[in-house]
Amino acid sequence: KHKYIFFDYETITDFDELSVLKPYSLSIFVCDQKEMDELDKFDFENNKTGVDKIIKNNCDNFVGFNCSEKLFNYIKENQENTIFTLVSFNGANFDNFLLAEYLYKHQMESISNVCYTNNQLLNFKINRRHNTFDIAKHLVGSLKKNCKSFKIKCCSKKDLDHNEIQSIYENDKKDFINKMKNNEEMIIYNNYDVASLAVLY
């Protein structure tokens, strides 16, 4: 079987981290072609009830500084007889690096066939079978701009004040994750990033 994992990280800035950017939330939308077509149909019809139902069934949000580990465990636990394509928006410059960093640190034997060129991490394999794909390499502009250009309706990308999230982290690092687990606006924003990406794809 072939399935898609549309994934998107949310990060805060922490200068004590090696890469400065620290992922705290990760949403995934997992589907096959049939489910993706169904989501596209609901969005075209502006059927918010249908869209919300698919997002509830197919979307997971991992909040925590171990969110990459949770994604890797999901893949490992669900990969039997399945090949995943991990789809991101601008992953070659961002999301792919965060996932690869986790794999190099903790699951070195699981990453292979790395395609790195012109400072971009275009692709790599996870467990020698699952690939990454960056849809932004084939489009112009931001995810929000493309949602508008392709007339994506109720699945369209939401807005979030990232400066406010950063302030919450800086003011209370110890309780930051607990606050994010209860931050419904952030979780919805993250989930709609991957749902809009699925429709865009």
Side-chain angles (χ1 to χ4, degrees):
K1 292 183 293 184
H2 177 238
K3 287 190 173 184
Y4 298 90
I5 299 178
F6 297 90
F7 74 108
D8 177 74
Y9 282 99
E10 299 302 324
T11 62
I12 44 88
T13 302
D14 188 331
F15 289 99
D16 291 329
E17 293 293 311
L18 184 63
S19 60
V20 180
L21 295 173
K22 191 173 184 178
Y24 68 87
S25 179
L26 170 64
S27 281
I28 62 171
F29 182 86
V30 184
C31 63
D32 56 21
Q33 188 65 50
K34 182 180 177 183
E35 291 165 321
M36 199 188 326
D37 291 341
E38 189 177 13
L39 179 68
D40 182 53
K41 179 175 178 288
F42 283 144
D43 181 76
F44 180 76
E45 296 169 348
N46 209 14
N47 182 344
K48 192 172 186 313
T49 303
V51 164
D52 287 344
K53 183 179 178 183
I54 291 184
I55 290 176
K56 184 178 179 181
N57 291 337
N58 295 60
C59 204
D60 278 315
N61 174 256
F62 309 129
V63 175
F65 296 130
N66 62 340
C67 54
S68 294
E69 179 184 5
K70 290 179 179 177
L71 171 57
F72 177 76
N73 288 340
Y74 177 90
I75 293 170
K76 189 170 65 173
E77 291 164 9
N78 293 278
Q79 68 181 356
E80 187 173 358
N81 300 320
T82 302
I83 292 175
F84 291 117
T85 300
L86 284 82
V87 184
S88 62
F89 194 92
N90 197 32
N93 295 309
F94 187 70
D95 303 87
N96 288 357
F97 281 96
L98 296 173
L99 181 54
E101 182 181 5
Y102 164 78
L103 294 172
Y104 276 125
K105 283 182 177 178
H106 306 285
Q107 304 289 341
M108 183 67 179
E109 70 285 353
S110 297
I111 184 169
S112 60
N113 297 78
V114 176
C115 180
Y116 179 82
T117 182
N118 295 328
N119 296 321
Q120 294 184 321
L121 185 51
L122 298 177
N123 194 9
F124 54 88
K125 282 190 176 180
I126 300 174
N127 295 340
R128 301 185 181 183
R129 60 205 291 200
H130 315 295
N131 289 287
T132 64
F133 179 82
D134 181 5
I135 194 172
K137 297 296 293 179
H138 305 270
L139 297 169
V140 176
S142 65
L143 178 56
K144 187 170 185 177
K145 181 182 177 183
N146 277 282
C147 284
K148 186 176 180 181
S149 297
F150 283 90
K151 297 179 173 58
I152 295 174
K153 298 172 183 172
C154 50
C155 256
S156 189
K157 179 180 171 66
K158 308 290 185 189
D159 292 310
L160 182 70
D161 188 343
H162 295 282
N163 290 328
E164 182 184 343
I165 301 291
Q166 182 68 33
S167 295
I168 293 171
Y169 177 71
E170 291 172 359
N171 291 331
D172 191 357
K173 292 184 179 182
K174 283 188 175 181
D175 201 39
F176 174 73
I177 292 300
N178 286 330
K179 288 180 178 177
M180 290 302 101
K181 284 180 178 178
N182 294 307
N183 190 325
E184 189 177 352
E185 182 186 10
M186 184 280 295
I187 293 170
I188 289 172
Y189 170 84
N190 205 177
N191 287 345
Y192 268 82
D193 267 8
V194 289
S196 63
L197 186 56
V199 176
L200 186 62
Y201 183 86

